[in-house]
Amino acid sequence: MAVKLNALNSDSYIDISQYRDQHFKGNRYEQEKLLKQSNTLYVGNLSFYTTEEQVHELFSKSGDVKRIIIGLDKIKKTACGFCFVEYYTRADAEHAMRFINGTRLDDRIIRTDWDAGFKEGRQYGRGKSGGQVRDEYRQDYDPARGGYGKLAQQHPPAEQRNSF
Amino acid sequence: LTNARLLPEKLTVYTTLVGLLNARNYNFGGEFVEAMIRQLKETLKNNLYNEAVYLVRFLSDLVNCHVIAAPSMVAMFENFVSVTQEEDVPQVRSDWFVYVVLSCLPWVGKELYEKKDVEMDRLLSQIEGYLKRRVKTHVPMLQVWTAEKPHPQEEYLDCLWAQIQKLKKDRWQERHILRPYIAFDSVLCEALQHNLPPFTPPGHMPDAQYPMPRVVFRMFDYTDAPEGPVMPGSHSVERFVIEENLHCIIKTHWKERKTCAAQLLSYPGKNKIPLNYHIVEVIFGELFQLPAPPHIDVMYTTLLIELCKLQPGSLPQVLAQATEMLYMRLDTMNTTCIDRLINWFSHHLSNFQFRWSWDDWSDCLTVDLDKPKPKFVKEVLEKCMRLSYHQRIVDIVPPTFAALVPADPIFIYKYADETSLPGYAVSITIANAIKNRASNEEILTILKDVPNPNQEDDDDEGESFNPLKIDVFLQTLLHLAAKSFSHSFSALAKFHEILKTLTESDEGKLHILKVVYEVWRNHPQIIAVLVDKMIRTQIVDCAAVANWLFSQDMAHEFTRLFIWEILHSTIRKMNKHVQKIQKELEEAKDKLEKQQHKRDMEKNSEDEEGQLEEQIERLQEKVESAQSEQKNLFLVIFQRFIMLLTEHLVRCETGSVDISTPWYKNCIERLQQIFLMHHVTIQQYMGTLENLLFTAELDHHILAVYQQFCALQL
């Protein structure tokens, strides 16, 4: 009668997401394998002004942080709203996925996801303008992420004269 | 069966189900009971005592469902309680068996008393006798508050006993537990019952790990919930059952905070109790539990945030009320618990734009800054700053709180404009050399020119400890790298060789720590990460860090939280280091065994085996050396504590002054904290500690801490 009811052992916060790095050198299977063993997290939706110190303070709550790499605009070499957090152990990274993902840093809800491992070059945004891709196309105004999205800055949304 | 183990808060649903199945099929019931007994034996063998409690409780509720005959359950309980007659066993062993029996009675007390009241009375009387002669030296070490008012922090067995006594007086009328089997009574009472096989509790094994004693955390009573249902009294059995079930829900769902919050808030029977108050009390009870919370601290922060999201109209208010109450009682709160409160509160605030009615706490401005309340606010603001930035903190508090606002975390460069300082000239040269990517040799050459204030003129080439050399080099380097943690880490990595050379001696190690503190004394956060890095890269060792923290130079910072965070982090690194090498040794030994097996079967090279044996010998030495370092670390720490505390006690005695200053309370509780936070490791060195340090000659105030600690394991 020892039926294993997986629902009772559920730990869904540490599952890998749908995201796969398109620049990953290797096939899907290899990437997934790395994601499932990784000690490194990608952290997104940071403010451009969030510092390494703030990231360190927050993420230390789930364990000892080995290293933080702040994501940079490829052209300007300034922070562009993401980072990598590497832990010494997988268990500590899992706690971050369970308890820090989806909470606030610098007043913003941040998102964490498994990363296959930092490699030189991955600290740069991949958007055409140098920042992250998501900041290329977004339409909203976010003062902590450079204001309007890059596309919207070049082609401002039509002025709303008659708003009824 | 899995359900029974994993969802204990839904116990009565499953027992009813088993009862109905048993009524239909007697054999099923018999097999089920047998399977449960087997499982109980397994869990006890594997030291899974908390799980075993649920199993026994399940069995006892099966009595209510007519699956198990009451007399056989009583017999099992009698066997459990007879453990109290065993001699030379740890108290925690007999504690557990008594606890199991008592904790089942809310479920099955009525039924057992109806069938076997004489035996049950005898049982309870035996338990009473045991509880009277129990040693309770451990209790002060586990209490969250030292004060008895407003809520005494009761030892868990004492509290449960009082609750069962009251239940008995109420003739076992218990109305909180949901009992679905009552609705099926007509079917169930027709069922044939099984007798539990005689169950002898497994004997005591030397490596058994019984649960540690605990203290019941209470912060609310019926006066605290302003409207709505009344909170059951502290000695009511309802209180016990509610708390048990809420703890169970957290235990089951802690990894998934949304589910956990939803399950807590949908607790059956919630309309009859002030559920939000119970939830907040249970959560803080776990967070403040000594020696350690059942789960990682940050889980509780996130869980409370989820609960606030699900009940935005009511839970935040209860939480605010709780925070206010905890603030009011800081004077008697255990220092370790205050640490956790600081971390929780600052992290919580950072999720809510740091909104708080600080003015409500302006009473903390009217007393000395070293008193618990202003100290607490100061530490909270410091932690808030780490999650934001200095100006933000200045903005969120009223101007009257200025004295409690943390310092702007800027670097203090000694050689900035101080041209008259010895070493100034070299600092400029070094700075330029570093900026121009000079090699290590070039830099060492420059540093040779730094005079040694400690040295006699004719001493040998500057290989001995030269504090000025360290000062000039490190201040300049860290100044250049002050921009961020990463910059500082790069600097330490790049000049690792030079730093190792400069800190070869113990004095060198101590001095480098001194310099790091001097330049970054406004920024405790970076001090902690730099010390961590320096230990990991072996620029300093753990003992040096301990000696530095206890040194006279750091005495003025001794009560600040960051000091203790650094010390505990250092101890943990030491512990992990030892564990790592032990693991390597075990793996090498396993490998050798496998090799030897292979050798018996094939003609394998003896070379490989020889290599492995050599490796094992080396690892063995490494383990011994690491353990020696670990033991030495604890000896250093305890020695320093004893010295400081003795000094204080003697001074107070000669001056006829009360010993209980805020400094003393902090110091003695920090000593306790060392024992509590690292009790597993310290256990190995008890012999040495007792022989060398915690001897009978010690002041009884200090010795008491040691004795309380020993009592935890009895």
Side-chain angles (χ1 to χ4, degrees):
Chain A
M1 231 190 120
V3 174
K4 191 119 198 245
L5 291 162
N6 285 323
L8 295 173
N9 286 319
S10 186
D11 196 2
S12 57
Y13 284 71
I14 66 169
D15 289 341
I16 63 175
S17 71
Q18 303 294 338
Y19 175 85
R20 296 292 176 268
D21 181 2
Q22 300 297 332
H23 294 206
F24 178 78
K25 300 243 175 1
N27 61 39
R28 277 294 145 99
Y29 172 75
E30 285 162 347
Q31 192 175 160
E32 277 167 34
K33 187 158 178 254
L34 286 175
L35 291 174
K36 287 182 183 159
Q37 318 164 321
S38 172
N39 296 352
T40 306
L41 298 177
Y42 161 87
V43 184
N45 200 37
L46 296 179
S47 149
F48 285 12
Y49 307 104
T50 299
T51 61
E52 186 188 349
E53 285 77 354
Q54 288 166 313
V55 173
H56 193 279
E57 177 70 11
L58 181 62
F59 282 84
S60 293
K61 290 180 187 296
S62 74
D64 291 337
V65 170
K66 185 170 178 184
R67 147 171 95 142
I68 293 170
I69 295 137
I70 298 286
L72 301 174
D73 182 301
K74 195 166 189 145
I75 299 165
K76 298 192 218 147
K77 303 291 199 285
T78 54
C80 69
F82 74 99
C83 73
F84 296 103
V85 176
E86 187 187 343
Y87 288 91
Y88 288 100
T89 69
R90 166 94 185 172
D92 292 344
E94 287 180 352
H95 281 323
M97 288 291 285
R98 293 185 192 109
F99 307 122
I100 300 179
N101 186 14
T103 66
R104 289 185 193 267
L105 176 56
D106 231 358
D107 295 320
R108 301 172 67 87
I109 304 259
I110 57 168
R111 196 179 61 81
T112 66
D113 196 4
W114 293 109
D115 186 79
F118 175 75
K119 288 218 155 44
E120 181 54 40
R122 297 192 67 238
Q123 72 268 44
Y124 296 111
R126 294 173 180 167
K128 265 190 299 229
S129 317
Q132 289 197 280
V133 171
R134 64 204 293 260
D135 289 312
E136 289 291 314
Y137 302 109
R138 63 179 174 77
Q139 299 283 321
D140 62 320
Y141 181 78
D142 190 344
R145 289 183 73 101
Y148 287 107
K150 290 288 180 268
L151 211 63
Q153 277 175 26
Q154 288 154 23
H155 305 284
E159 284 178 57
Q160 297 186 358
R161 285 198 198 88
N162 308 308
S163 47
F164 52 80
Chain B
L1 256 178
T2 317
N3 291 356
R5 265 174 49 228
L6 294 176
L7 288 174
E9 66 276 9
K10 297 201 160 60
L11 185 104
T12 51
V13 172
Y14 293 107
T15 53
T16 307
L17 179 62
V18 174
L20 291 169
L21 289 168
N22 178 59
R24 283 289 199 96
N25 180 342
Y26 180 76
N27 286 333
F28 167 80
E31 277 173 37
F32 187 87
V33 171
E34 268 170 42
M36 281 218 92
I37 294 286
R38 271 199 304 275
Q39 182 139 54
L40 179 59
K41 288 201 171 105
E42 271 301 302
T43 53
L44 288 177
K45 210 167 72 168
N46 295 322
N47 283 315
L48 297 168
Y49 290 98
N50 292 326
E51 248 188 63
V53 171
Y54 302 136
L55 288 172
V56 178
R57 207 177 281 168
F58 196 97
L59 285 170
S60 63
D61 203 44
L62 285 178
V63 173
N64 292 326
C65 300
H66 296 261
V67 178
I68 293 179
S72 68
M73 193 75 224
V74 175
M76 182 185 243
F77 284 173
E78 282 170 342
N79 281 346
F80 280 8
V81 175
S82 69
V83 171
T84 60
Q85 303 301 320
E86 286 175 6
E87 287 179 2
D88 291 326
V89 292
Q91 185 174 278
V92 285
R93 170 178 162 83
S94 28
D95 279 355
W96 185 80
F97 285 98
V98 165
Y99 174 74
V100 165
V101 172
L102 288 177
S103 75
C104 290
L105 294 183
W107 279 265
V108 75
K110 182 154 187 275
E111 187 66 23
L112 294 184
Y113 245 85
E114 271 173 20
K115 299 275 157 51
K116 287 272 177 185
D117 62 335
V118 171
E119 286 80 354
M120 287 302 293
D121 270 335
R122 202 185 316 139
L123 204 69
L124 288 183
S125 153
Q126 259 186 296
I127 291 177
E128 187 172 17
Y130 171 72
L131 292 177
K132 282 212 176 85
R133 51 176 206 271
R134 261 178 98 227
V135 169
K136 290 190 285 195
T137 325
H138 56 274
V139 175
M141 210 175 205
L142 303 177
Q143 286 174 319
V144 173
W145 290 285
T146 54
E148 282 286 302
K149 292 185 178 357
H151 308 108
Q153 305 293 290
E154 279 185 283
E155 213 268 350
Y156 78 115
L157 275 183
D158 290 341
C159 184
L160 182 53
W161 175 248
Q163 288 162 330
I164 298 300
Q165 292 279 76
K166 185 162 185 298
L167 177 62
K168 182 172 176 215
K169 234 189 260 172
D170 293 341
R171 293 162 64 223
W172 304 99
Q173 298 299 328
E174 188 288 320
R175 292 183 216 291
H176 179 81
I177 297 173
L178 276 176
R179 298 176 192 261
Y181 38 79
I182 293 178
F184 296 96
D185 194 51
S186 52
V187 175
L188 292 174
C189 71
E190 301 288 318
L192 286 172
Q193 295 169 334
H194 303 263
N195 281 319
L196 278 175
F199 188 95
T200 326
H204 172 63
M205 304 296 278
D207 60 344
Q209 287 156 18
Y210 303 103
M212 262 203 190
R214 24 183 210 294
V215 158
V216 178
F217 177 82
R218 289 282 160 69
M219 63 180 293
F220 291 130
D221 62 31
Y222 70 94
T223 61
D224 293 308
E227 323 142 336
V230 174
M231 195 166 217
S234 60
H235 284 167
S236 72
V237 86
E238 282 76 21
R239 196 70 179 264
F240 173 76
V241 173
I242 294 165
E243 286 168 0
E244 268 294 290
N245 286 338
L246 292 177
H247 281 299
C248 282
I249 292 173
I250 296 175
K251 188 157 186 250
T252 306
H253 299 287
W254 67 274
K255 290 183 190 160
E256 299 198 315
R257 63 210 207 212
K258 285 192 173 34
T259 309
C260 195
Q263 288 292 317
L264 285 170
L265 289 171
S266 59
Y267 181 73
K270 62 184 177 169
N271 298 318
K272 303 205 198 97
I273 54 174
L275 182 61
N276 286 342
Y277 285 87
H278 284 291
I279 290 175
V280 167
E281 188 177 67
V282 163
I283 288 176
F284 277 127
E286 289 202 9
L287 180 63
F288 296 138
Q289 188 173 306
L290 295 167
H295 306 289
I296 188 173
D297 295 34
V298 70
M299 183 279 282
Y300 299 102
T301 312
T302 316
L303 179 59
L304 284 168
I305 292 173
E306 283 304 318
L307 287 163
C308 285
K309 274 196 229 166
L310 288 175
Q311 296 264 285
S314 56
L315 207 117
Q317 291 86 321
V318 177
L319 200 50
Q321 190 183 348
T323 309
E324 181 66 37
M325 289 172 70
L326 293 167
Y327 169 82
M328 301 267 277
R329 302 184 56 194
L330 281 170
D331 289 333
T332 55
M333 195 184 214
N334 183 300
T335 304
T336 304
C337 299
I338 297 182
D339 288 351
R340 295 187 202 157
L341 183 59
I342 291 166
N343 285 323
W344 168 72
F345 189 49
S346 53
H347 188 191
H348 181 86
L349 286 179
S350 76
N351 274 272
F352 296 98
Q353 295 116 33
F354 298 106
R355 272 172 301 164
W356 184 250
S357 45
W358 299 100
D359 273 316
D360 288 353
W361 287 355
S362 46
D363 64 325
C364 76
L365 302 169
T366 61
V367 296
D368 280 335
L369 291 186
D370 61 350
K371 290 281 193 303
K373 282 179 182 170
K375 198 160 187 322
F376 168 76
V377 174
K378 202 159 183 280
E379 296 281 5
V380 165
L381 292 177
E382 199 180 301
K383 288 273 169 158
C384 286
M385 182 177 72
R386 294 194 195 189
L387 289 167
S388 59
Y389 50 95
H390 186 253
Q391 188 55 45
R392 187 80 190 277
I393 305 305
V394 172
D395 292 339
I396 62 166
V397 295
T400 43
F401 277 66
L404 301 179
V405 169
D408 201 357
I410 49 178
F411 189 95
I412 300 172
Y413 187 43
K414 180 181 193 175
Y415 297 103
D417 298 306
E418 299 292 335
T419 55
S420 57
L421 283 174
Y424 173 77
V426 182
S427 76
I428 304 279
T429 322
I430 290 282
N432 288 330
I434 293 173
K435 281 186 231 177
N436 293 325
R437 302 175 197 279
S439 71
N440 284 353
E441 289 76 36
E442 289 168 320
I443 293 188
L444 280 171
T445 312
I446 299 169
L447 287 175
K448 273 209 169 70
D449 292 335
V450 176
N452 189 340
N454 287 355
Q455 228 170 15
E456 302 294 303
D457 287 311
D458 291 331
D459 253 321
D460 49 347
E461 266 299 293
E463 285 314 319
S464 60
F465 165 59
N466 182 342
L468 191 57
K469 214 189 258 192
I470 296 177
D471 197 58
V472 170
F473 179 67
L474 194 59
Q475 286 235 9
T476 309
L477 178 66
L478 289 180
H479 180 229
L480 289 171
K483 188 158 186 236
S484 76
F485 286 5
S486 286
H487 286 85
S488 299
F489 295 159
S490 288
L492 289 180
K494 192 150 182 243
F495 296 98
H496 183 252
E497 253 181 72
I498 297 183
L499 292 167
K500 284 274 301 192
T501 316
L502 290 173
T503 61
E504 251 176 87
S505 64
D506 282 344
E507 300 153 293
K509 292 183 172 69
L510 209 57
H511 198 73
I512 199 177
L513 292 163
K514 210 173 149 183
V515 174
V516 168
Y517 170 75
E518 269 183 35
V519 296
W520 278 122
R521 58 191 186 268
N522 289 327
H523 198 346
Q525 190 195 7
I526 201 174
I527 296 179
V529 306
L530 289 176
V531 171
D532 174 86
K533 221 23 136 201
M534 293 195 294
I535 292 176
R536 290 185 192 271
T537 53
Q538 298 175 328
I539 293 171
V540 299
D541 57 30
C542 295
V545 174
N547 278 317
W548 163 63
L549 292 170
F550 279 95
S551 69
Q552 192 50 39
D553 287 333
M554 295 301 281
H556 63 294
E557 304 280 37
F558 196 67
T559 59
R560 282 183 70 184
L561 181 51
F562 83 94
I563 297 289
W564 301 98
E565 290 181 331
I566 293 177
L567 184 61
H568 286 290
S569 169
T570 303
I571 299 173
R572 275 198 307 270
K573 278 190 277 285
M574 182 81 248
N575 296 346
K576 284 194 183 141
H577 175 68
V578 171
Q579 281 165 7
K580 180 162 169 262
I581 309 180
Q582 279 170 332
K583 190 160 170 242
E584 283 173 27
L585 178 61
E586 289 307 307
E587 284 169 358
K589 281 185 175 163
D590 283 340
K591 235 174 133 188
L592 182 66
E593 229 184 277
K594 288 197 182 106
Q595 277 293 91
Q596 285 171 335
H597 275 296
K598 268 172 84 181
R599 196 218 341 187
D600 293 338
M601 299 204 279
E602 308 165 10
K603 284 205 193 106
N604 239 347
S605 93
E606 292 197 357
D607 226 13
E608 266 181 71
E609 243 187 73
Q611 266 181 16
L612 267 176
E613 281 174 351
E614 236 187 79
Q615 192 187 29
I616 289 178
E617 225 185 279
R618 265 185 284 122
L619 281 172
Q620 204 111 350
E621 278 172 25
K622 246 180 122 180
V623 166
E624 281 166 19
S625 158
Q627 281 175 329
S628 169
E629 203 190 325
Q630 184 182 53
K631 182 160 85 164
N632 183 55
L633 177 62
F634 281 111
L635 283 176
V636 165
I637 293 171
F638 286 130
Q639 244 161 11
R640 293 297 209 134
F641 265 115
I642 291 174
M643 274 161 51
L644 280 174
L645 286 165
T646 309
E647 219 181 86
H648 171 84
L649 290 165
V650 164
R651 209 184 316 126
C652 289
E653 213 178 309
T654 32
S656 299
V657 168
D658 185 14
I659 59 168
S660 297
T661 59
W663 180 91
Y664 175 73
K665 179 177 187 286
N666 175 83
C667 192
I668 198 104
E669 287 179 358
R670 290 296 179 193
L671 173 59
Q672 267 179 0
Q673 190 183 37
I674 303 282
F675 280 113
L676 288 177
M677 280 177 69
H678 307 284
H679 61 94
V680 176
T681 317
I682 293 176
Q683 285 295 100
Q684 304 164 48
Y685 304 119
M686 293 295 267
T688 311
L689 292 177
E690 219 168 294
N691 290 334
L692 287 183
L693 297 176
F694 294 98
T695 58
E697 286 91 55
L698 216 54
D699 185 300
H700 69 275
H701 292 98
I702 310 173
L703 200 55
V705 174
Y706 180 71
Q707 288 165 341
Q708 283 163 18
F709 172 67
C710 294
L712 279 178
Q713 308 307 313
L714 282 174

